[in-house]
Amino acid sequence: MAEEKELRYDPAAIEPKWQQRWAADPKLYAADAADSGKPKYYVLEMLPYPSGQLHMGHVRNYAIGDALARHMWMRGYNVLHPMGWDAFGLPAENAAIKNNTPPREWTLSNIAAMKRQFGRLGMGFDWATEVTTCLPDYYRWNQWFFLRMHERGLVYRKKSKVNWCPECATVLANEQVVDGRCWRHEDTIVEQRDLEQWFFRITAYAQELLDGLDKLEGWPEKVRTMQRNWIGRSEGAEVDFFLAEDAVNAQNEDGSPRVIPAGRRIRVFTTRVDTIFGATSVQLAPEHPLVKDLAANDSGLATQVAQLLDEQKKAREAGDVGEIEKHGVPTGHFALNPYNGERIPIWVANYILADYGTGAIMSVPGHDARDFEFAKKYAIAIRRVIAPAASSAEEPELPFLSEDGVLVNSGEFNGLTCHQAQQRLAEIAKEKGIGEATVTFRLKDWGVSRQRYWGTPIPMIHCERDGIVPVPDDQLPVILPEQIAITQQGGSPLSRVPEFVNVTCPKCGGPARRETDTMDTFVDSSWYFYRYTDAKNSTQPFDPAKAQHWFPIDQYIGGVEHAILHLIYSRFWTKVMRDLGLITNDEPVRRLFTQGMVIKDGAKMSKSKGNVVSPDDMVAQYGADATRMYALFAAPPDRDLDWQEDGVAGVSRFLGRVYRLAMKYAPVARTAGAANAEPSGLSLKLLRKLHQTIAKITLDFEGRWHFNTCVAAIMEMVNEIQAADAQLAAGEVPAPVLRELLTMLVLQIAPFAPYMAAELWEELGGEGAVLRAPWPKSNPQLTREDELEIPVQINGKLVNVVRVPAGSAPEIVQAAALADEKVQSRIAGKIVAKVIVVPGKAVNLVIR
RNA sequence: GCGAAAGUGGCGGAAUUGGCAGACGCACCAGACUUAGGAUCUGGCGGGGAAACCCAUGAGGGUUCGAGUCCCUCCUUUCGCACCA
């Protein structure tokens, strides 16, 4: 009775004990500062927002990263595995309004709570390098970077249409608008407002950000594609059409090529300048400046244009711009094609966007699907100007969209291929000063102003005399005032704090106003991982030598929802820091892993669905080891994981079996010496399983990361050892073998169930921390079976398996297969036409 | 509409290069032990069939001695992009 009680696995006793011991050893999870020649490994999981509660998605994310970190420690790497808090942001302000708690207090107490959760989960983070982005020792460097970028012309201020979320009561970056809605408020339609805003000139790096993607081979293709789409490079040309009414002597009688007429120009952007002879109208965006001109004396037109604009806006807000029904109105004015002087009508259309390209297009219905649709609807001329390259008998139907063709009906350019014509026509445009080849990006500059309180103050001052004046470096940080009233009134809360707003101008010493916008919180997370390498530095953001040592990050792990926002901003920031001479790497992250979501009952966990599982509850009931191990066992890490509590119970039962098995034989194993005989029989069988398991898990850590099958493999091994319990109890396996089996089992469990591993490592007499023990090496002698089971097929259908010695010659395998009784009875009276022997794999008899 | 990934028992999932489909776990069934306990241990568990065997990886074709895996067509789900000129 008493004995059985001792053998009960009780995580509630084991885990707190080790948690205390680990907390008392700050060096345990610290990177080796002396860096004694070990190769470095920087493994990082995306830092959480301190909401106050870890959720299962966090547990999964950090269980993956922690397993990898622990494995790398055991492999002898100098591992940097830090953690921090993305601590600025709106929820703190909302909580302040709701509970009348200062955001700082709310945030810091949340951090304390989540840090406890991390501790309880046994996550191996080096808290000495903790970064909390809402503290001045961090955000001052946001300001410092802002000033450096300002000096380099990478920060600017402009009045522009911005995305405004009424719910957040602030501006959003383009990246934070999803289908016309706020990324945090799916039900809130984003409005457009005109505001003076600060921008980061991310477009200056558009091309490099795009090119760099090709080299990021360690990134999921999906993420690279998303970034490529987001950057949205398109090559084309801008060409000027002319307002016909301005042209002097615009029409040649004989239709010969024209002198370029003077007058108002309508610059269009096109990716298919080779089709310009097929342009049968010019289409303007409703907000195009010329439209206002043309409608000035035409109130009918003005009304119609207003309607078109309204349709466009509605479609944008509804997020279905692609579904809008195309409408347009003719202006009654005409444009001249700069290449042949052709007079074509100018229209205004609701599908032309003012903020892409030049806000005007040439419409070529013969070779563009949208233009075709539009021309059909309004009976505008449709003309073929491209023919297929191979002169096939039949002319393909219009619209003919391929760029694989030659020009026809295009005057002197007939016969050129599309690509030749694109080049040639752009050259001519350049020579004549009517256009040029251009590259257009969809990526827009990053608007970073937020009319909110809980963020990094923008270090700028508005002086009536000197205009905008940067805060001098020696006045950094601009401290966010902490005792202020936060209410839900419009505008930035900071603008109502006179002590903050009223300053003296650093230039003239006169009275001035401090900028009251704060920075987008994505600024904080754009470079936090550099700070980890030198988190306490008070004279610079980090020591370049330290960053140089650790960067790039070897493995970054997080959710795919950051594929655009965070991951493109941090790539941008890295390039800026490189150009500032702080670092030498071009990219922050070598390998990126995006784990799947945690779902329950087929849906993402959410309060509204009532399917949230609390990590605390799981840990309280089954322990941290079981919770973490289940998070790795239930699905491969890149797939969505369906949380089933019965599964956690199953893993917990498994850990109980491991515990009892190890504890039962620890007294024997602990004192065992070295093996003195070649293993055979049961010993050999068990050692074989052990070493095959080591080989499998080691391989998985090196890239495939199917930790679910790693856990399954350990289960198989434990099952096999346990099945031999009677023989073990009878002493059939020598103590040294038992010792090897158990210690190596414990070492393999260590990345997945650190508490259990620590406890059993100690019970087995292991030296020091299990984390510092070398990862087991599989012995190739032992991973190899000496007898193989070979399936025997007849016409591809399995009939039986035969056992043959490993490495048998094909003839031997064939003979064994043919000798098999079952096979014999099946081939009796038939002709064996062919025998295929795949060494080590299969035998197939083809019979007739 | 375009692009990508996925589709395997009652459920989560396994099968790394084409070679024994369903490892491992859950649920369930039966049994053992037992102060009847949400503990532990043993066995069973895709479908049909008494069995021999047959059928089965979303559907249909194909390649191959052999296909969950490769190719084609289609269906479904998820994700990304979508008047970007």
Side-chain angles (χ1 to χ4, degrees):
Chain A
M1 246 345 248
E3 199 182 30
E4 272 181 31
K5 231 185 183 134
E6 246 172 42
L7 283 178
R8 208 170 71 88
Y9 165 53
D10 183 11
I14 295 171
E15 296 185 352
K17 173 181 115 190
W18 284 97
Q19 199 191 330
Q20 275 194 348
R21 288 220 222 162
W22 292 337
D25 179 6
K27 288 266 175 287
L28 185 63
Y29 299 122
D32 185 355
D35 190 37
S36 43
K38 288 188 261 180
K40 70 97 182 176
Y41 196 82
Y42 188 173
V43 54
L44 183 68
E45 299 101 74
M46 290 179 187
L47 84 179
Y49 176 78
S51 62
Q53 275 285 315
L54 289 177
H55 55 67
M56 275 305 169
H58 288 128
V59 172
R60 189 183 196 194
N61 191 178
Y62 301 123
I64 295 167
D66 199 43
L68 179 65
R70 286 172 187 275
H71 175 78
M72 296 310 278
W73 262 307
M74 295 174 78
R75 292 283 286 267
Y77 284 81
N78 186 15
V79 176
L80 178 60
H81 189 217
M83 187 42 62
W85 311 98
D86 188 15
F88 270 138
L90 207 46
E93 275 178 73
N94 294 337
I97 294 163
K98 215 171 137 193
N99 313 326
N100 200 27
T101 326
R104 180 188 161 106
E105 207 173 283
W106 183 83
T107 304
L108 293 184
S109 79
N110 282 350
I111 288 174
M114 290 172 81
K115 212 166 161 179
R116 272 198 301 279
Q117 287 182 300
F118 274 139
R120 186 63 192 81
L121 283 163
M123 296 295 172
F125 300 127
D126 179 8
W127 291 109
T129 63
E130 179 179 5
V131 164
T132 305
T133 61
C134 67
L135 299 180
D137 68 345
Y138 183 78
Y139 71 67
R140 69 173 295 173
W141 300 113
N142 285 345
Q143 297 170 341
W144 184 87
F145 279 120
F146 192 99
L147 295 172
R148 299 293 82 76
M149 286 161 76
H150 186 253
E151 286 160 8
R152 301 190 143 238
L154 292 171
V155 165
Y156 66 95
R157 187 172 163 83
K158 74 170 181 202
K159 185 160 191 165
S160 72
K161 281 208 190 320
V162 292
N163 309 299
W164 179 271
C165 172
E167 197 67 32
C168 299
T170 189
V171 160
L172 301 176
N174 288 331
E175 288 80 355
Q176 292 162 333
V177 180
V178 182
D179 290 340
R181 284 149 205 272
C182 173
W183 68 305
R184 304 195 74 112
H185 303 102
E186 282 173 32
D187 302 327
T188 307
I189 288 171
V190 171
E191 302 167 3
Q192 301 294 309
R193 289 200 181 179
D194 269 312
L195 277 181
E196 284 272 328
Q197 296 289 302
W198 291 100
F199 287 88
F200 285 160
R201 207 180 293 280
I202 191 172
T203 53
Y205 290 88
Q207 188 64 51
E208 201 195 333
L209 287 167
L210 182 66
D211 292 342
L213 291 172
D214 294 336
K215 286 173 247 156
L216 291 176
E217 279 157 16
W219 284 40
E221 193 50 51
K222 179 191 169 81
V223 173
R224 295 201 275 170
T225 304
M226 284 168 74
Q227 293 209 357
R228 270 188 207 106
N229 287 339
W230 187 259
I231 295 168
R233 182 192 148 103
S234 87
E235 272 181 54
E238 290 183 7
V239 179
D240 293 331
F241 282 64
F242 295 86
L243 210 58
E245 63 217 51
D246 294 345
V248 179
N249 194 23
Q251 298 256 341
N252 276 347
E253 296 302 315
D254 60 358
S256 60
R258 299 259 154 175
V259 179
I260 300 302
R264 278 172 285 177
R265 301 176 174 214
I266 306 165
R267 176 154 285 215
V268 304
F269 172 65
T270 175
T271 55
R272 292 296 305 277
V273 70
D274 53 308
T275 63
I276 197 163
F277 285 75
T280 53
S281 68
V282 164
Q283 301 284 343
L284 303 178
E287 292 173 285
H288 193 278
L290 183 65
V291 174
K292 211 175 263 172
D293 262 21
L294 300 181
N297 302 316
D298 185 344
S299 61
L301 180 61
T303 316
Q304 286 174 300
V305 166
Q307 170 126 29
L308 293 173
L309 182 59
D310 195 49
E311 287 168 11
Q312 187 177 87
K313 274 192 171 156
K314 283 216 174 96
R316 276 197 167 188
E317 284 174 359
D320 56 354
V321 188
E323 315 297 303
I324 191 177
E325 203 188 323
K326 291 181 184 55
H327 279 134
V329 289
T331 60
H333 298 263
F334 290 82
L336 300 179
N337 185 322
Y339 289 94
N340 63 1
E342 184 182 356
R343 192 164 176 274
I344 57 178
I346 300 172
W347 286 61
V348 182
N350 63 357
Y351 70 98
I352 308 299
L353 308 171
D355 57 3
Y356 185 80
T358 59
I361 65 154
M362 60 178 201
S363 181
V364 185
H367 303 279
D368 180 283
R370 295 155 302 182
D371 295 346
F372 184 83
E373 185 192 334
F374 193 87
K376 275 274 177 198
K377 178 166 185 171
Y378 291 105
I380 299 172
I382 299 170
R383 190 186 305 149
R384 173 188 302 281
V385 288
I386 306 291
S391 53
S392 58
E394 250 177 271
E395 290 226 313
E397 241 178 76
L398 295 180
F400 177 63
L401 306 178
S402 171
E403 275 184 65
D404 209 3
V406 295
L407 274 65
V408 296
N409 301 326
S410 299
E412 61 185 290
F413 305 101
N414 281 343
L416 291 183
T417 66
C418 291
H419 295 283
Q420 287 167 342
Q422 281 164 18
Q423 273 194 359
R424 184 77 194 109
L425 289 163
E427 279 165 22
I428 291 173
K430 179 124 202 187
E431 281 163 25
K432 300 201 170 172
I434 54 155
E436 61 191 333
T438 59
V439 174
T440 304
F441 291 95
R442 204 184 79 120
L443 181 74
K444 298 275 184 294
D445 279 334
W446 175 11
V448 293
S449 289
R450 296 292 179 273
Q451 292 69 46
R452 303 301 321 178
Y453 162 68
W454 194 233
T456 304
I458 289 175
M460 288 287 171
I461 288 167
H462 303 269
C463 171
E464 274 190 27
R465 255 186 59 175
D466 299 310
I468 288 172
V469 183
V471 173
D473 276 10
D474 60 14
Q475 290 177 25
L476 295 185
V478 176
I479 296 276
L480 190 64
E482 284 177 14
Q483 299 305 322
I484 80 156
I486 304 202
T487 58
Q488 223 153 8
Q489 306 165 35
S492 166
L494 285 177
S495 62
R496 295 188 291 269
V497 183
E499 314 86 271
F500 179 80
V501 173
N502 299 322
V503 288
T504 52
C505 170
K507 255 191 190 159
C508 67
R513 286 178 59 82
R514 198 184 279 293
E515 170 67 58
T516 58
D517 283 354
T518 53
M519 296 184 205
D520 183 4
T521 56
F522 277 97
V523 169
D524 309 327
S525 53
S526 289
W527 68 281
Y528 76 103
F529 33 54
Y530 289 93
R531 183 72 179 171
Y532 284 140
T533 66
D534 194 14
K536 300 282 181 277
N537 200 321
S538 59
T539 58
Q540 45 186 344
F542 51 84
D543 176 353
K546 290 184 175 162
Q548 165 104 31
H549 178 257
W550 288 106
F551 270 78
I553 295 164
D554 294 280
Q555 183 68 60
Y556 198 24
I557 305 164
V560 74
E561 65 272 19
H562 294 109
I564 306 289
L565 292 154
H566 165 55
L567 287 168
I568 214 162
Y569 293 146
S570 27
R571 292 183 61 222
F572 161 64
W573 208 279
T574 286
K575 289 169 197 306
V576 170
M577 293 200 305
R578 177 202 59 200
D579 292 349
L580 289 170
L582 281 167
I583 52 173
T584 55
N585 50 301
D586 295 319
E587 293 285 347
V589 173
R590 180 173 289 144
R591 277 172 56 99
L592 173 71
F593 186 87
T594 52
Q595 93 269 12
M597 282 190 309
V598 178
I599 57 177
K600 181 144 194 296
D601 310 325
K604 192 177 173 176
M605 284 187 189
S606 73
K607 278 193 198 126
S608 58
K609 293 206 183 72
N611 61 349
V612 175
V613 178
S614 146
D616 286 348
D617 292 350
M618 289 295 118
V619 170
Q621 202 166 349
Y622 304 101
D625 279 344
T627 304
R628 294 174 55 157
M629 205 171 197
Y630 175 74
L632 297 172
F633 175 63
D638 54 335
R639 294 245 293 259
D640 285 353
L641 182 157
D642 190 43
W643 194 270
Q644 299 185 354
E645 192 172 329
D646 286 334
V648 189
V651 171
S652 172
R653 279 198 287 274
F654 164 70
L655 288 171
R657 289 211 302 279
V658 171
Y659 181 75
R660 286 189 299 275
L661 181 73
M663 292 301 277
K664 183 170 179 183
Y665 296 103
V668 183
R670 184 162 39 211
T671 54
N676 50 10
E678 280 290 299
S680 62
L682 180 60
S683 295
L684 180 60
K685 182 169 170 262
L686 295 178
L687 285 173
R688 218 168 237 158
K689 187 70 183 174
L690 170 73
H691 283 268
Q692 286 166 352
T693 308
I694 295 170
K696 187 249 179 306
I697 295 177
T698 306
L699 188 65
D700 251 301
F701 266 112
E702 277 163 10
R704 206 174 70 133
W705 279 26
H706 281 199
F707 300 131
N708 55 330
T709 62
C710 291
V711 174
I714 295 172
M715 287 173 169
E716 278 186 59
M717 178 176 71
V718 170
N719 290 348
E720 200 166 316
I721 298 173
Q722 207 181 12
D725 187 48
Q727 289 108 303
L728 297 185
E732 276 185 38
V733 168
V737 173
L738 209 47
R739 180 184 172 81
E740 181 173 348
L741 287 172
L742 293 179
T743 54
M744 290 201 175
L745 164 63
V746 166
L747 292 174
Q748 285 178 91
I749 282 180
F752 309 114
Y755 288 113
M756 171 70 76
E759 177 74 9
L760 294 180
W761 183 246
E762 188 173 66
E763 291 291 340
L764 289 165
E767 299 255 322
V770 65
L771 201 61
R772 301 279 179 254
W775 181 255
K777 266 203 160 71
S778 69
N779 178 347
Q781 300 283 308
L782 285 170
T783 54
R784 221 180 41 225
E785 296 283 353
D786 46 23
E787 206 177 36
L788 298 177
E789 281 192 341
I790 304 292
V792 181
Q793 303 167 323
I794 290 180
N795 291 345
K797 292 218 179 277
L798 179 73
V799 172
N800 208 353
V801 290
V802 293
R803 297 191 69 89
V804 295
S808 295
E811 306 81 61
I812 310 260
V813 180
Q814 180 173 340
L818 287 168
D820 183 76
E821 270 177 46
K822 235 171 173 179
V823 173
Q824 277 295 324
S825 71
R826 292 287 200 95
I827 61 177
K830 305 270 171 60
I831 298 161
V832 179
K834 201 172 169 189
V835 180
I836 290 127
V837 180
V838 186
K841 286 278 172 65
V843 178
N844 191 16
L845 310 173
V846 185
I847 65 169
R848 270 181 292 175

